[in-house]
Amino acid sequence: MVNVDKFIEKAIQQIKDEINGPAIIALSGGVDSSVCAVLAQKALGELLTPIYIDTGLMRKGETQRIKEIFGYMNLLTINSKERFLNALKGLTDPEEKRMAVGEAFIRVFEEEAKELNARYLIQGTIYPDRIESEGGIKSHHNVGGLPSVVDFDSIVEPISELYKDEVREVAQALGLPKEIFSRMPFPGPGLSVRIIGEVTQDKVDVVREANAIVEEELLEPFKPWQTFAAIIGKGTGVKGDQRIHGWIIAVRAVESRDGMTAGPMELPWNVLNKIESRITSEIPDVARVVYDITPKPPATIEFE
Ligand code: XMP
């Protein structure tokens, strides 16, 4: 990008030109939607309602932080935990799970858009999203599918020409905190793509704790492009003097430019060791921890 300040000025002007009524944006707290929300707020002020949907599939402490950071806006927080869990009940197929989450998003949005009489939707779609969606690699991206279902006058995508690193530059220039501008990507379907098989409250709780530990140990010292934990199944273990059939947690840490390809990080053994010992000792139902060394391709970054 040539000039960040120029981009910001132009984006705000574009939003002002295209929108003249109540508008909404799905604010997830990721860098893309955060940048769009700030740009749109600058352009529209009170006309904008950023909507944060607490799907129950968010990371530890995330909802609280979003409220703190974006509380100065007209932020609407919706607790939809039950709804998402119900939508996912009994589903084991990855695509069906993704669709269920996508649909639940759409429904919550539809309801809120109607309530607010919002005629405009702002979306944080970035350039690689468009490429991957067009190529059919992703079936659900951000709140993919919204435009065809909800009847908006117009959908505005202020950062659709930018790559991720450019979005981060804009975020920094807008004065967003470091935890937002240097934030790694987090998938729209949330922790559900990090749970192989049916999503249950139990599994969500376990994977959320494991994620938090992995982030604590890896984010600052190693600055991976993305790192997280996933539940990949069950296996036997011995805890205390008992044999258990506990969760298997996979740890992922990758380097990448834009998520289209990625390589596993070569982490020091003592670091992997510490992660294993923290996860197995702090989370009672985990029987073992593995480290995923597969690049993308052939694997994807997420497990589902
Ligand atoms: P994959 O797993 O496809 O992930 O290699 C590439 C990047 O995209 C993120 N990702 C998603 N983001 N909705 C999103 O908004 C999704 O359905 C989705 N699936 C994957 C993933 O976290 C990684 O950064």
Side-chain angles (χ1 to χ4, degrees), residues 6 16 20 30 64 76 90-91 105 129 143 266:
K6 273 226 172 81
K16 279 186 180 159
N20 37 64
Q64 192 46 38
L76 187 60
L91 301 183
F105 257 116
D129 297 341
V143 274
E266 284 186 38

Side-chain angles (χ1 to χ4, degrees), residues 28 32 98 129 132 137-144 164 184-190 193-194 225-226 228 252 254 256 258-262 296 299-304:
S28 68
D32 306 341
R98 239 162 231 265
D129 297 341
E132 291 212 345
I137 299 171
K138 275 179 198 159
S139 52
H140 162 64
H141 206 284
N142 294 327
V143 274
K164 196 63 134 193
M184 50 178 179
F186 185 63
V193 297
R194 297 179 180 171
W225 190 81
Q226 197 170 12
F228 57 87
R252 191 98 164 110
V254 296
S256 177
D258 51 25
M260 294 203 227
T261 60
K296 173 184 181 177
T300 50
I301 295 176
E302 302 289 348
F303 280 75
E304 283 203 340

